[in-house]
Amino acid sequence: MVARVWSLMRFLIKGSVAGGAVYLVYDQELLGSSAKSEAALRRAEEAVPPAVYQFSQYVCRQTGLQMPQLPDPPKINFPIRESWNSGIVTVMSALSVAPARAGEYLREGWEYVKQHAK
């Protein structure tokens, strides 16, 4: 009984995390234009380091432990827009030709089997 409840809890937690990730992507319009995606990345770069610092200070106050200061995150100096778009274009083009390629490979395999079955 406990194992079933535990597995159900794990499923619900994983589903909640996945649903939250999908909602976040939709809410921040990360699958929209490149400009919106790049703006969301800039907002995250500005918001995450202070949040991590505040959380570490909170943990220090609650536990009495001293945490060392984290180094500054590295700066990203390459255009995300081009690499993001090229990745999306590559994946979408592969998905668009997948049915035709599958039929092509099926025909080739069928011819191979017919040749060797004689």
Side-chain angles (χ1 to χ4, degrees), residues 13-23:
I13 290 170
K14 288 179 183 181
S16 299
V17 169
V22 169
Y23 174 77

Side-chain angles (χ1 to χ4, degrees), residues 1-9:
M1 179 68 178
V2 173
R4 285 185 180 172
V5 171
W6 181 247
S7 65
L8 177 66
M9 289 299 294

Side-chain angles (χ1 to χ4, degrees), residues 83-107:
S83 59
W84 171 261
N85 284 342
S86 67
I88 294 296
V89 167
T90 303
V91 168
M92 290 303 149
S93 67
L95 288 175
S96 69
V97 298
R101 289 284 167 93
E104 192 177 302
Y105 294 147
L106 181 66
R107 272 189 247 95

Side-chain angles (χ1 to χ4, degrees), residues 7-97:
S7 65
L8 177 66
M9 289 299 294
R10 284 181 48 201
F11 175 75
L12 291 175
I13 290 170
K14 288 179 183 181
S16 299
V17 169
V22 169
Y23 174 77
L24 181 67
V25 166
Y26 178 77
D27 184 52
Q28 297 296 318
E29 298 177 354
L30 294 178
L31 298 178
S33 68
S34 297
K36 290 182 181 178
S37 299
E38 196 168 353
L41 177 65
R42 298 291 174 236
R43 286 193 309 268
E45 284 178 345
E46 293 170 1
V48 168
V52 169
Y53 178 74
Q54 288 175 354
F55 180 72
S56 67
Q57 293 300 314
Y58 172 76
V59 169
C60 288
R61 282 194 307 270
Q62 294 297 320
T63 61
L65 298 174
Q66 293 296 326
M67 297 179 113
Q69 179 66 30
L70 296 173
D72 290 334
K75 300 293 181 193
I76 299 174
N77 293 326
F78 67 94
I80 303 268
R81 181 177 293 172
E82 284 91 25
S83 59
W84 171 261
N85 284 342
S86 67
I88 294 296
V89 167
T90 303
V91 168
M92 290 303 149
S93 67
L95 288 175
S96 69
V97 298

